[in-house]
Amino acid sequence: MSVTYNENAKIFRLRAKDTDYILKIAPGGYLAHVYFGKKVPDEDLTYLLRLDENPFTPETNNRDKACYMDTLPFEYPCFGLGDYREAAFRIMDENGMSTCDLRYLSHRIYRGKPALDGLPATFATEDSGAETLEVVLEDKPAALEVTLIYTAFDKLDVITRSAIVKNVGKRPCTLTRVYSACVEFDTHEFDMITLNGSWARERAVERCRLHHGKQSVDSMRGESSHQNNPFTALCSHTADEDTGEVYGFNFVYSGNFISQAEVTQHKKTRYLMGINDLDFSWLLEEGESFTAPEVVMVYSDSGLGKMSRTFHDLYRNNLIRGEYKDKRRPILINNWEATYFDFNTEKLIDIAKEAAKSGIEMLVMDDGWFGHRDSDNSSLGDWFVYEKKLDGGLKYLVDEVNKLGLKFGIWFEPEMVSPDSQLFKEHPDWAIQVPGRELTLCREQYVLDYSRKEVRDHIYSMMKKILDSANIEYIKWDMNRQLTEVGSAVLPSNRQRELWHRYVLGVYELMDRLTTEYPHILLENCSGGGARFDPGMLYYSPQIWCSDDTDAIERLKIQYGTSMCYPCSAMGAHVSDCPNHTVGRSTPFSTRGNVAMVGTFGYELDITKIPQQDRDAIPGQIEQFNKYNALVRTGDHYRIGNMFEDNTWDAWMFVSKDKSDALFEFVQVIGRPNERSRRIKLKGLDPDKYYYEESDPDFKLSGAALMQCGINIGGIWGDYQSKIMHFMAAE
Ligand code: DGJ
C-alpha cells in the first residue's frame, strides 16, 4: 500500500518507493504538512508539528488563533486568516472579499492515478504502479470545495500534486490564485537551484542560498519561457551530484508560472508552485470547476544526479506517449540553418539526395514553404503551399524525397498570424489584442486567440489539408513570440484574465487533436529554440528542440542544464555547420556529432556545401548514434563534468540499467599546457563487476577502480576535442 490513513492520529502517509510524504488533519480541521523525505517506519509523526509548543491551538485555547495560523505548516494555505506567509489559494467572493477558510471534509484513497481534465499529466502504468489520495477541503461560507490530489508512484521517489476547485453553491466566486502545490520545510538551510537564461542560452544552472523573504522564478510571457524554466530544486548546502538531500519540483504546464521559496520568521521554508496569479482570475459559476496543473515532486537522498535520473525515468515511462515513446527517432536533416527562407523544390531535393547517400533518414522542411513567405514578415496563418517556391507542389516534393528513401517532415507555427496574411485580413479579431491599443509586433507577428474554438478549428482544418495531401511523417510545432496585450474579442470583461490559461488549454487541445488523429506523425515541439522545454509539452511530443544555439560547446551547458529534470532522449540536438551561426565558433565535426548524439540527433546544415571530409564522416556518425541510442534512451544518465564550475572540460555517462554497458563521453573544451592526461572518475558502474573498454578487451578493471580511482584521458590535442569510450562488463 503506497497510501495509508491512520484514523487515530488522523495521519495520511504516502510512500513512493523510499520516500515518505506525510500530512495530518490538525486541530481545527486544517490540513497540515508533517514530513517529506526518506522513508521512516513510524506511523505517527504528529510531534513534528510541535502542537504542544503552541499555546493557542483553536481547539484548546482560541485566544490567539492568528498565531496558530501563522505558524502551522499548511498543505494548502489560503489567504486571509492570519497566515501571513504566501498563500497557495485566494478568492474574491461576490462581495469582493478575499478571505477563505479551507477545512478538511473527506478523503478517498485508490489505486492508479487520475487524468487531469484538458491538461497534460503523468500517468501510472501497470509496470510503475501508483496510488492516489484525494483530500477534499471545504470553505463553507464561499461554498467551495478544493480537492487536493496526491499520487505516490510505487517504484519511483515521486509524488505528484494537483488541485481541483469546485463551486458547490449557488453564488459565483472568483478564484484569484490557485497554486498546485505547497510544501513546508522545518529549515531554511537550503540552496535553491533554478534553470535560467535567454534565447540561445536556455536553462543555465544557477544556485544560491535561501535567505529571509521570498525568492522566486516565474514566467508572465504566456509560455514557460527561455528566461526561467518551471523547475526548482531545494537542496542541502553541501549537496552535489552524488550526495546530499534534494527536493526537485517541476511544473507540468506550458504557460505563466511561479516557483517560490519563502523563508519565514522562524527560519522555515514554504515552497509554492503553480500558475502565476499576476493578471489571473477565474470565475466559477454554480457547479463549475477549475483544475490546477500538476506538480511533480522528486526526493533524492543521494544528490542531484539521483534526482535527475528519477525525473528521467518518470518522464520516459509515465509522461511521454505515442508511437515514438520507446523508439529510436529517425535521423533527420533540417534545412533551417542550411537555407533559411531561401529554398525551392530543387534545392530541397538536392539536399535530400546527398542526405540519402549518407544514411540520413528524414528531410524536414522548415519555415518558409507557405503563403508567400520569403522572410519572417508575412504569411503565418496562411497554411497553404507557396507554389512559386515549391514548384510542382508539396506532394511532388514529398514523393521525390520518399523515392530517395527518406521520410518527410514539415514545420508549422500554428499559434501565430502575420499582419500580412489572408487570415489576418479576414479575421483581424482573431489576434489576441486589447481594443483601442496598438498591437505589439514581435518577429513581425501576432498571437492567435487560442481560447476560441473557431480559431483552433480553422487552423486545424488548414493543417489537416496539408497533412492529408502528402506522406508527412513528422511535424515541428514552433512558437516564436510571447504574449502581449492579452485580451480576447469574445470573453466577457469578468473573464478576460482567464485568457492566459485558456490560451494554454487551447494549445493543448489542438496538440491533443493532432496527435490523436495522426498517431503516426512524430511531433517535435519548439519555441524559438527551447522556450517551451517543459513537461507539459513532453506529454504531446516525445522530443523538443533544445535551443537555437547549435554550437557544440554552448550545447554542453544547455544540455547539462536541461538534463536536470528532462531526459536526454527528448532533447532535439543537431550537428550544424561552422563557423556556428549563433556564436561564430568552429569546432571539429566529430565533437559536434558526439554532443548531438546525446539527444535525438540530426543535421542542420547544407549537406551539399559542407567540406567533403565532413560529408564523409556522416555515415560513421550515424553508425555510432545507432550503436549507442538504446543506451541513451533507456540507460541512466550521470553528469561528471560541470561547465558552470569549470568550463575547460565536460564529461558524462550513460549506463544500462543492468550496469553491463556504459557509454562515456569527454570533451576537452580548452587544451592545457604541459599535461599529458586528465584523471576522470567514472560513475554508475557496478563496483563488483569487471569492465573492459571496447578498443582494448584484454585490459580489465573493476567498477570500483573505474569509479574510485578513475581513468586517464590522454592523447587529446587542442581545443574542442572529444572522445567516446565504451565500457562493457566482462563475462
Ligand atoms: C525558431 C526555431 O527554433 C528554428 O529552429 C526555426 O524553425 C525558426 N524558428 C524558423 O522560423
Side-chain angles (χ1 to χ4, degrees):
M1 292 277 278
S2 314
V3 184
T4 54
Y5 178 56
N6 179 328
E7 181 74 53
N8 287 335
K10 295 192 173 358
I11 287 252
F12 299 99
R13 186 180 68 191
L14 292 106
R15 173 156 296 168
K17 200 176 173 231
D18 300 321
T19 298
D20 277 350
Y21 188 96
I22 298 174
L23 39 151
K24 176 183 167 79
I25 307 165
Y30 297 106
L31 194 64
H33 179 77
V34 180
Y35 175 75
F36 181 23
K38 196 177 176 119
K39 71 178 174 192
V40 289
D42 311 76
E43 292 240 308
D44 184 358
L45 297 179
T46 298
Y47 76 95
L48 290 174
L49 292 180
R50 296 197 176 95
L51 293 171
D52 52 342
E53 292 172 30
N54 191 336
F56 306 118
T57 55
E59 274 178 357
T60 52
N61 175 353
N62 205 11
R63 91 166 254 283
D64 196 348
K65 182 177 160 191
C67 176
Y68 176 77
M69 299 306 287
D70 205 20
T71 50
L72 193 75
F74 280 97
E75 269 303 304
Y76 201 64
C78 49
F79 183 82
L81 295 174
D83 178 355
Y84 296 104
R85 298 160 290 180
E86 204 61 55
F89 186 65
R90 206 178 46 214
I91 63 169
M92 186 171 71
D93 65 21
E94 58 169 356
N95 302 314
M97 295 173 187
S98 306
T99 293
C100 178
D101 186 359
L102 292 172
R103 314 271 187 123
Y104 171 84
L105 177 66
S106 63
H107 73 268
R108 70 185 185 114
I109 295 168
Y110 53 90
R111 286 300 294 166
K113 183 175 190 298
L116 297 181
D117 193 22
L119 284 166
T122 58
F123 48 82
T125 60
E126 222 165 82
D127 211 30
S128 68
E131 198 149 83
T132 296
L133 165 68
E134 291 187 6
V135 184
V136 183
L137 308 175
E138 66 170 348
D139 179 299
K140 279 212 175 94
L144 290 178
E145 282 183 11
V146 178
T147 304
L148 303 180
I149 306 170
Y150 302 81
T151 298
F153 281 81
D154 295 352
K155 296 181 194 159
L156 289 170
D157 292 293
V158 174
I159 310 271
T160 60
R161 287 190 63 170
S162 56
I164 298 176
V165 188
K166 184 165 187 196
N167 183 343
V168 292
K170 301 243 168 291
R171 290 162 297 137
C173 183
T174 301
L175 311 176
T176 53
R177 174 181 293 178
V178 193
Y179 288 169
S180 299
C182 169
V183 182
E184 308 254 26
F185 296 94
D186 203 66
T187 176
H188 73 309
E189 294 295 344
F190 279 131
D191 284 359
M192 181 169 173
I193 297 176
T194 51
L195 305 175
N196 315 310
S198 183
W199 173 78
R201 51 180 169 83
E202 297 89 341
R203 292 172 296 285
V205 178
E206 202 163 277
R207 179 169 179 162
C208 54
R209 208 181 166 94
L210 286 190
H211 54 80
H212 270 104
K214 294 160 198 168
Q215 296 112 84
S216 62
V217 286
D218 72 346
S219 168
M220 272 305 296
R221 294 167 186 268
E223 59 177 358
S224 43
S225 87
H226 295 98
Q227 287 72 14
N228 296 311
N229 196 262
F231 163 83
T232 294
L234 297 180
C235 61
S236 47
H237 299 311
T238 53
D240 58 20
E241 274 299 303
D242 309 301
T243 61
E245 284 202 294
V246 187
Y247 298 88
F249 302 92
N250 201 192
F251 199 27
V252 188
Y253 189 62
S254 312
N256 296 344
F257 73 92
I258 182 152
S259 166
Q260 183 182 83
E262 177 182 9
V263 176
T264 65
Q265 56 178 335
H266 298 300
K267 297 192 162 74
K268 308 197 185 315
T269 304
R270 171 174 284 180
Y271 177 75
L272 294 161
M273 187 174 245
I275 292 180
N276 200 323
D277 68 344
L278 184 62
D279 204 30
F280 166 87
S281 70
W282 198 276
L283 177 64
L284 277 192
E285 302 275 8
E286 177 185 353
E288 285 181 351
S289 315
F290 177 85
T291 304
E294 177 166 289
V295 169
V296 174
M297 310 193 295
V298 169
Y299 170 73
S300 161
D301 61 351
S302 309
L304 292 160
K306 183 175 173 193
M307 173 202 70
S308 297
R309 289 186 288 281
T310 304
F311 273 116
H312 298 174
D313 281 343
L314 179 78
Y315 291 169
R316 290 187 299 198
N317 300 317
N318 303 89
L319 178 67
I320 290 173
R321 305 168 302 159
E323 283 186 11
Y324 282 96
K325 178 180 196 286
D326 301 314
K327 272 199 206 154
R328 185 187 70 91
R329 316 287 156 71
I331 298 159
L332 63 85
I333 185 158
N334 176 304
N335 75 307
W336 180 242
E337 286 195 26
T339 65
Y340 295 99
F341 295 102
D342 185 17
F343 63 89
N344 57 23
T345 304
E346 200 187 336
K347 178 71 206 167
L348 293 177
I349 291 176
D350 282 351
I351 291 178
K353 272 187 188 148
E354 206 50 57
K357 284 190 219 156
S358 305
I360 292 171
E361 298 162 332
M362 179 158 72
L363 173 76
V364 174
M365 177 172 66
D366 211 281
D367 192 355
W369 58 267
F370 49 91
H372 58 275
R373 189 151 164 108
D374 287 315
S375 78
D376 59 12
N377 69 4
S378 84
S379 305
L380 293 168
D382 292 347
W383 300 111
F384 42 82
V385 174
Y386 187 2
E387 300 284 351
K388 216 171 84 192
K389 216 180 214 183
L390 288 195
D391 195 17
L394 182 62
K395 185 165 166 36
Y396 169 75
L397 170 64
V398 178
D399 287 348
E400 288 304 299
V401 169
N402 285 170
K403 273 188 221 158
L404 292 165
L406 266 66
K407 296 176 190 297
F408 187 88
I410 198 167
W411 180 97
F412 284 102
E413 195 174 0
E415 298 154 70
M416 297 294 152
V417 62
S418 305
D420 178 8
S421 66
Q422 280 185 26
L423 187 76
F424 189 69
K425 278 172 199 125
E426 281 162 25
H427 302 283
D429 68 307
W430 283 13
I432 286 181
Q433 61 197 284
V434 173
R437 294 187 189 275
E438 190 189 343
L439 273 79
T440 296
L441 274 170
C442 181
R443 209 194 188 209
E444 301 229 35
Q445 63 199 56
Y446 304 136
V447 185
L448 287 169
D449 182 354
Y450 261 46
S451 71
R452 296 172 67 172
K453 187 168 180 322
E454 70 273 29
V455 175
R456 301 193 305 264
D457 285 350
H458 187 79
I459 297 295
Y460 185 70
S461 68
M462 282 191 277
M463 291 175 78
K464 190 170 165 48
K465 259 193 202 140
I466 293 291
L467 297 177
D468 292 344
S469 72
N471 182 26
I472 292 167
E473 299 183 72
Y474 162 107
I475 292 173
K476 178 172 171 186
W477 179 311
D478 206 348
M479 194 275 196
N480 281 304
R481 67 155 288 179
Q482 298 148 355
L483 277 58
T484 54
E485 294 96 26
V486 173
S488 168
V490 291
L491 287 173
S493 61
N494 57 355
R495 286 197 181 272
Q496 285 292 343
R497 285 167 148 232
E498 297 176 12
L499 182 55
W500 294 99
H501 182 54
R502 286 185 183 276
Y503 175 82
V504 179
L505 293 178
V507 171
Y508 288 153
E509 192 266 346
L510 199 60
M511 282 190 187
D512 196 51
R513 213 189 304 179
L514 189 68
T515 49
T516 308
E517 290 195 25
Y518 296 93
H520 308 304
I521 291 184
L522 170 60
L523 182 64
E524 173 156 349
N525 253 285
C526 171
S527 178
R532 266 202 316 210
F533 211 119
D534 60 59
M537 286 293 141
L538 280 182
Y539 184 70
Y540 302 97
S541 60
Q543 59 195 58
I544 302 175
W545 183 228
C546 216
S547 175
D548 276 348
D549 194 335
T550 52
D551 170 64
I553 302 306
E554 292 300 307
R555 275 296 181 114
L556 295 176
K557 283 189 191 157
I558 295 167
Q559 293 177 190
Y560 176 101
T562 307
S563 79
M564 275 295 143
C565 55
Y566 306 107
C568 297
S569 54
M571 295 180 199
H574 298 166
V575 175
S576 61
D577 202 5
C578 278
N580 178 268
H581 293 194
T582 310
V583 291
R585 183 181 284 131
S586 289
T587 52
F589 199 70
S590 57
T591 295
R592 283 176 263 158
N594 289 347
V595 173
M597 192 180 80
V598 172
T600 57
F601 200 61
Y603 293 85
E604 180 132 353
L605 38 71
D606 188 343
I607 194 170
T608 66
K609 290 197 182 139
I610 57 171
Q612 187 61 41
Q613 69 194 49
D614 290 355
R615 212 169 14 246
D616 291 346
I618 293 177
Q621 278 185 344
I622 290 178
E623 198 183 313
Q624 179 174 277
F625 168 75
N626 286 336
K627 178 171 171 186
Y628 296 119
N629 182 249
L631 202 46
V632 171
R633 270 189 300 106
T634 62
D636 287 328
H637 176 54
Y638 290 85
R639 292 178 291 261
I640 299 177
N642 178 353
M643 288 274 288
F644 295 100
E645 281 172 6
D646 177 354
N647 63 8
T648 64
W649 68 282
D650 199 3
W652 60 87
M653 287 181 75
F654 292 92
V655 181
S656 64
K657 292 277 178 194
D658 68 0
K659 298 194 180 291
S660 66
D661 200 9
L663 169 68
F664 169 81
E665 292 201 40
F666 174 83
V667 180
Q668 173 164 292
V669 178
I670 298 178
R672 293 190 301 183
N674 204 17
E675 242 180 30
R676 286 177 181 272
S677 69
R678 195 186 287 259
R679 178 77 42 85
I680 306 276
K681 293 180 179 178
L682 303 194
K683 289 187 182 181
L685 302 174
D686 181 343
D688 299 326
K689 278 192 164 84
Y690 273 77
Y691 295 87
Y692 63 92
E693 206 284 316
E694 200 182 356
S695 61
D696 186 5
D698 295 330
F699 183 62
K700 298 187 182 68
L701 276 175
S702 66
L706 290 166
M707 293 191 291
Q708 282 156 229
C709 312
I711 54 172
N712 298 330
I713 305 285
I716 299 185
W717 175 247
D719 298 344
Y720 314 136
Q721 305 296 322
S722 60
K723 182 168 187 153
I724 281 190
M725 297 172 85
H726 185 201
F727 292 89
M728 284 179 284
E731 291 301 305

Coordinates of all heavy atoms in Angstrom, one line a residue, residues 124-170:
A124 N 0.0 6.6 -14.5 CA 0.5 5.3 -13.9 C 0.4 4.3 -15.0 O -0.5 4.3 -15.8 CB -0.2 5.0 -12.7
T125 N 1.3 3.3 -15.0 CA 1.2 2.1 -15.8 C 1.1 0.9 -14.9 O 1.4 1.0 -13.7 CB 2.4 2.0 -16.8 OG1 3.5 1.8 -16.0 CG2 2.5 3.2 -17.7
E126 N 0.8 -0.2 -15.5 CA 0.8 -1.5 -14.7 C 2.2 -1.7 -14.1 O 2.3 -2.1 -13.0 CB 0.4 -2.6 -15.6 CG -0.6 -3.6 -15.0 CD -1.2 -4.5 -16.0 OE1 -0.5 -5.5 -16.3 OE2 -2.3 -4.2 -16.5
D127 N 3.2 -1.4 -14.9 CA 4.5 -1.6 -14.5 C 4.9 -0.7 -13.4 O 5.6 -1.1 -12.4 CB 5.4 -1.3 -15.8 CG 6.6 -2.1 -15.7 OD1 6.5 -3.2 -15.2 OD2 7.7 -1.7 -16.2
S128 N 4.6 0.6 -13.5 CA 5.0 1.6 -12.5 C 4.2 1.4 -11.2 O 4.8 1.5 -10.1 CB 4.9 3.0 -13.0 OG 3.6 3.4 -13.2
G129 N 2.9 1.3 -11.3 CA 2.1 1.2 -10.2 C 2.0 2.6 -9.5 O 3.0 3.3 -9.5
A130 N 0.9 2.9 -8.9 CA 0.8 4.2 -8.2 C -0.5 4.2 -7.4 O -1.5 3.4 -7.7 CB 0.7 5.4 -9.2
E131 N -0.5 4.9 -6.3 CA -1.8 5.0 -5.5 C -2.0 6.5 -5.3 O -1.1 7.3 -5.1 CB -1.6 4.3 -4.2 CG -2.9 4.0 -3.5 CD -2.8 2.7 -2.7 OE1 -2.3 2.8 -1.6 OE2 -3.2 1.6 -3.2
T132 N -3.3 6.8 -5.2 CA -3.7 8.2 -5.1 C -4.5 8.5 -3.9 O -5.4 7.7 -3.4 CB -4.6 8.6 -6.4 OG1 -3.7 8.5 -7.5 CG2 -5.1 10.0 -6.3
L133 N -4.2 9.7 -3.3 CA -5.0 10.2 -2.2 C -5.7 11.5 -2.6 O -5.0 12.4 -3.2 CB -4.1 10.5 -1.0 CG -4.7 11.4 0.1 CD1 -5.7 10.6 0.9 CD2 -3.5 11.8 1.1
E134 N -7.0 11.6 -2.4 CA -7.7 12.8 -2.6 C -8.2 13.3 -1.3 O -8.9 12.6 -0.6 CB -8.9 12.6 -3.6 CG -8.4 12.3 -5.0 CD -9.6 12.3 -6.0 OE1 -10.7 12.6 -5.7 OE2 -9.3 11.9 -7.2
V135 N -7.9 14.5 -0.9 CA -8.4 15.1 0.3 C -9.3 16.3 -0.1 O -8.8 17.2 -0.8 CB -7.3 15.6 1.2 CG1 -7.9 16.1 2.5 CG2 -6.3 14.5 1.5
V136 N -10.5 16.3 0.3 CA -11.4 17.4 0.0 C -11.4 18.4 1.2 O -11.7 18.0 2.3 CB -12.8 16.9 -0.3 CG1 -13.7 18.0 -0.7 CG2 -12.8 15.8 -1.4
L137 N -11.2 19.6 0.9 CA -11.2 20.7 1.9 C -12.4 21.6 1.5 O -12.7 21.7 0.3 CB -10.0 21.6 1.8 CG -8.6 20.8 2.0 CD1 -7.5 21.8 1.8 CD2 -8.5 20.1 3.3
E138 N -13.1 22.1 2.5 CA -14.2 23.0 2.1 C -14.1 24.4 2.7 O -13.6 24.5 3.8 CB -15.6 22.3 2.5 CG -15.7 22.2 4.0 CD -17.1 21.8 4.4 OE1 -18.1 21.8 3.5 OE2 -17.3 21.4 5.5
D139 N -14.6 25.3 2.0 CA -14.9 26.6 2.6 C -16.4 26.8 2.6 O -17.0 27.1 1.6 CB -14.2 27.7 1.8 CG -14.4 29.1 2.3 OD1 -15.6 29.5 2.4 OD2 -13.4 29.7 2.7
K140 N -16.9 26.7 3.8 CA -18.4 26.7 3.9 C -19.0 28.1 3.4 O -19.9 28.1 2.5 CB -18.9 26.4 5.3 CG -18.9 24.9 5.6 CD -20.0 24.6 6.6 CE -20.0 23.1 6.8 NZ -19.2 22.6 8.0
P141 N -18.5 29.2 3.9 CA -19.2 30.5 3.5 C -19.2 30.7 2.0 O -20.1 31.2 1.4 CB -18.4 31.5 4.3 CG -17.8 30.8 5.4 CD -17.5 29.4 5.0
A142 N -18.1 30.3 1.4 CA -18.0 30.6 -0.1 C -18.5 29.4 -0.9 O -18.6 29.5 -2.1 CB -16.5 30.9 -0.5
A143 N -18.9 28.4 -0.2 CA -19.4 27.1 -0.9 C -18.4 26.6 -1.9 O -18.8 26.4 -3.1 CB -20.8 27.4 -1.5
L144 N -17.2 26.5 -1.5 CA -16.1 26.0 -2.4 C -15.6 24.6 -1.9 O -15.4 24.5 -0.6 CB -15.0 26.9 -2.5 CG -15.2 28.2 -3.3 CD1 -13.9 29.1 -3.2 CD2 -15.6 28.0 -4.7
E145 N -15.3 23.7 -2.7 CA -14.6 22.5 -2.3 C -13.3 22.4 -3.1 O -13.3 22.6 -4.3 CB -15.5 21.3 -2.6 CG -16.6 21.1 -1.5 CD -17.4 19.8 -1.7 OE1 -17.0 19.0 -2.6 OE2 -18.4 19.7 -1.1
V146 N -12.2 22.2 -2.4 CA -10.9 22.1 -3.0 C -10.5 20.6 -2.8 O -10.3 20.2 -1.7 CB -9.9 23.1 -2.4 CG1 -8.6 22.9 -3.1 CG2 -10.4 24.5 -2.6
T147 N -10.3 19.9 -3.9 CA -9.8 18.6 -3.8 C -8.3 18.6 -4.1 O -7.9 18.9 -5.2 CB -10.5 17.6 -4.8 OG1 -11.9 17.8 -4.6 CG2 -10.1 16.2 -4.7
L148 N -7.5 18.2 -3.1 CA -6.1 18.1 -3.3 C -5.8 16.6 -3.7 O -6.2 15.7 -3.1 CB -5.3 18.4 -2.0 CG -5.6 19.7 -1.4 CD1 -4.8 19.9 -0.1 CD2 -5.3 20.9 -2.4
I149 N -5.1 16.5 -4.9 CA -4.9 15.2 -5.4 C -3.4 14.9 -5.3 O -2.5 15.6 -5.8 CB -5.3 15.1 -6.9 CG1 -6.7 15.5 -7.0 CG2 -5.1 13.7 -7.4 CD1 -7.2 15.7 -8.5
Y150 N -3.0 13.8 -4.6 CA -1.7 13.4 -4.4 C -1.5 12.0 -5.0 O -2.3 11.1 -4.7 CB -1.3 13.2 -3.0 CG -1.4 14.5 -2.1 CD1 -2.7 14.8 -1.6 CD2 -0.3 15.3 -1.8 CE1 -2.8 16.0 -0.8 CE2 -0.5 16.4 -1.0 CZ -1.7 16.7 -0.5 OH -1.8 17.8 0.3
T151 N -0.5 11.7 -5.8 CA -0.2 10.4 -6.2 C 1.2 10.0 -5.9 O 2.1 10.7 -6.1 CB -0.4 10.2 -7.8 OG1 -1.8 10.5 -8.1 CG2 -0.1 8.8 -8.2
A152 N 1.3 8.8 -5.3 CA 2.7 8.2 -5.0 C 3.0 7.1 -5.9 O 2.2 6.2 -6.1 CB 2.7 7.7 -3.5
F153 N 4.1 7.2 -6.6 CA 4.5 6.1 -7.5 C 5.2 5.0 -6.7 O 6.0 5.3 -5.9 CB 5.4 6.7 -8.6 CG 4.7 7.4 -9.7 CD1 4.2 8.7 -9.6 CD2 4.3 6.7 -10.9 CE1 3.5 9.3 -10.6 CE2 3.6 7.3 -11.9 CZ 3.2 8.6 -11.7
D154 N 4.8 3.7 -7.0 CA 5.3 2.6 -6.2 C 6.9 2.5 -6.4 O 7.5 2.2 -5.4 CB 4.7 1.3 -6.7 CG 3.2 1.2 -6.5 OD1 2.7 2.1 -5.8 OD2 2.6 0.2 -7.0
K155 N 7.4 2.6 -7.6 CA 8.8 2.3 -7.8 C 9.7 3.5 -8.1 O 10.8 3.3 -8.5 CB 8.8 1.3 -9.0 CG 8.1 0.0 -8.8 CD 8.2 -0.9 -10.0 CE 7.3 -2.1 -9.8 NZ 7.0 -2.7 -11.1
L156 N 9.2 4.7 -7.9 CA 10.0 5.9 -8.1 C 9.8 6.8 -6.9 O 8.7 6.9 -6.3 CB 9.5 6.6 -9.4 CG 9.8 6.0 -10.7 CD1 9.1 6.7 -11.8 CD2 11.3 6.0 -11.0
D157 N 10.8 7.6 -6.6 CA 10.7 8.5 -5.5 C 10.0 9.8 -6.0 O 10.5 10.9 -6.0 CB 12.1 8.9 -4.9 CG 12.7 7.7 -4.3 OD1 12.2 7.2 -3.2 OD2 13.7 7.1 -4.8
V158 N 8.7 9.6 -6.4 CA 7.9 10.7 -7.0 C 6.6 10.8 -6.3 O 5.9 9.8 -6.2 CB 7.7 10.4 -8.5 CG1 6.8 11.4 -9.1 CG2 9.0 10.4 -9.2
I159 N 6.2 12.0 -6.0 CA 4.9 12.3 -5.5 C 4.4 13.4 -6.5 O 5.1 14.4 -6.7 CB 4.8 12.9 -4.1 CG1 5.6 12.0 -3.1 CG2 3.4 13.2 -3.7 CD1 4.8 11.0 -2.4
T160 N 3.2 13.3 -7.0 CA 2.6 14.4 -7.8 C 1.5 15.0 -7.1 O 0.8 14.4 -6.2 CB 2.1 13.8 -9.2 OG1 1.1 12.9 -9.0 CG2 3.3 13.2 -10.0
R161 N 1.2 16.3 -7.4 CA 0.2 17.0 -6.8 C -0.6 17.8 -7.8 O 0.0 18.4 -8.7 CB 0.7 18.0 -5.7 CG 1.2 17.3 -4.5 CD 1.5 18.3 -3.4 NE 0.3 19.0 -3.0 CZ 0.3 19.8 -2.0 NH1 1.3 20.0 -1.2 NH2 -0.9 20.5 -1.6
S162 N -1.9 18.0 -7.6 CA -2.7 19.0 -8.3 C -3.9 19.3 -7.4 O -4.1 18.7 -6.4 CB -3.1 18.5 -9.7 OG -3.8 17.3 -9.5
A163 N -4.7 20.2 -7.9 CA -5.9 20.6 -7.1 C -7.1 20.9 -8.0 O -6.9 21.4 -9.1 CB -5.6 21.8 -6.2
I164 N -8.3 20.5 -7.6 CA -9.5 20.9 -8.3 C -10.4 21.7 -7.4 O -10.7 21.2 -6.3 CB -10.2 19.6 -8.8 CG1 -9.3 18.8 -9.8 CG2 -11.5 20.0 -9.5 CD1 -9.9 17.5 -10.3
V165 N -10.8 22.8 -7.9 CA -11.7 23.7 -7.1 C -13.1 23.6 -7.7 O -13.2 23.8 -8.9 CB -11.2 25.2 -7.1 CG1 -12.0 26.0 -6.1 CG2 -9.7 25.2 -6.8
K166 N -14.1 23.4 -6.8 CA -15.5 23.3 -7.4 C -16.4 24.3 -6.6 O -16.3 24.4 -5.4 CB -16.0 21.9 -7.2 CG -17.3 21.7 -7.8 CD -17.6 20.2 -8.1 CE -19.0 20.2 -8.8 NZ -19.6 18.9 -8.8
N167 N -17.2 25.0 -7.4 CA -18.2 25.8 -6.7 C -19.4 24.9 -6.4 O -20.1 24.5 -7.4 CB -18.6 27.0 -7.7 CG -19.6 27.9 -7.0 OD1 -20.2 27.6 -6.1 ND2 -19.7 29.1 -7.6
V168 N -19.7 24.6 -5.2 CA -20.8 23.7 -4.8 C -22.0 24.6 -4.4 O -23.0 24.0 -3.8 CB -20.4 22.7 -3.8 CG1 -19.4 21.7 -4.3 CG2 -19.8 23.4 -2.5
G169 N -21.9 25.9 -4.5 CA -23.0 26.7 -4.1 C -23.8 27.3 -5.2 O -23.7 26.8 -6.4
K170 N -24.6 28.3 -5.0 CA -25.4 28.9 -6.0 C -24.8 30.2 -6.5 O -25.1 30.7 -7.5 CB -26.8 29.2 -5.4 CG -27.5 28.0 -4.9 CD -28.8 27.7 -5.7 CE -29.5 26.4 -5.5 NZ -28.7 25.3 -6.0

